[in-house]
Amino acid sequence: MRYPTTLSRLLVAGSVCAALGLAAGCSRQTGSAAVSTTASASAAAQSGSPASASKLGDLSQFRRITADVSDLVARGDLPGGRTRIKDLEIAWDEAEAGLKPRAADDWHVLDKAIDRALEALRTDHPKQSDCTAAMSDLLHTFDRLAGKTS
């Protein structure tokens, strides 16, 4: 009779360990996002710029991609901006599980601004003025959430 009790306890313990491992993995970044985040933190430390004061945490990786897209748009390279903004979309989606629980309201504000920028660049016939405005709004949103502007 002792064998079934021991076996069931082992199964329960194993299940708990697996569930905790999965839960811990949800907030951890994987693959290129983790490498990119580490590189971003290292670059920020080297440049002397402070980390983001956002409730969401360090958003510098996302803001840097947004600045790249904004530069491409400013030069009139809308196809290049459209290609580069895909990197922002992927990185943002990969980080959602770790960011959104920290400050859901801020996450939604930023997510909507990213969606507007994606929409402006991905329309069938993107307009320079619409793309410029969307990128400016997105950069302002990053800065506002980081406490850099009011």
Side-chain angles (χ1 to χ4, degrees):
M1 283 291 203
R2 186 151 167 81
Y3 178 72
T5 304
T6 303
L7 182 61
S8 64
R9 285 183 182 165
L10 285 174
L11 287 173
V12 168
S15 298
V16 168
C17 288
L20 290 174
L22 287 173
C26 288
S27 64
R28 189 176 8 176
Q29 294 178 343
T30 59
S32 64
V35 171
S36 182
T37 301
T38 303
S40 297
S42 175
Q46 290 174 358
S47 68
S49 64
S52 170
S54 167
K55 293 177 196 173
L56 293 168
D58 182 8
L59 300 175
S60 61
Q61 165 195 5
F62 309 109
R63 194 188 187 292
R64 189 171 1 275
I65 296 170
T66 301
D68 289 350
V69 175
S70 186
D71 289 344
L72 290 166
V73 168
R75 291 194 308 249
D77 185 2
L78 300 183
R82 182 182 193 155
T83 299
R84 180 69 170 125
I85 204 163
K86 179 72 175 171
D87 297 333
L88 175 62
E89 180 182 34
I90 291 169
W92 184 249
D93 288 347
E94 286 178 353
E96 178 181 355
L99 294 176
K100 193 173 182 181
R102 295 178 186 177
D105 290 341
D106 288 354
W107 184 89
H108 283 289
V109 167
L110 197 46
D111 188 60
K112 292 298 180 194
I114 291 171
D115 286 345
R116 287 189 297 272
L118 288 166
E119 184 179 325
L121 282 159
R122 290 179 173 168
T123 188
D124 288 338
H125 303 288
K127 294 181 183 174
Q128 177 79 32
S129 60
D130 293 344
C131 294
T132 300
M135 296 313 301
S136 177
D137 178 58
L138 181 52
L139 286 168
H140 178 75
T141 302
F142 276 114
D143 292 344
R144 186 172 48 83
L145 292 176
K148 295 179 182 177
T149 62
S150 50

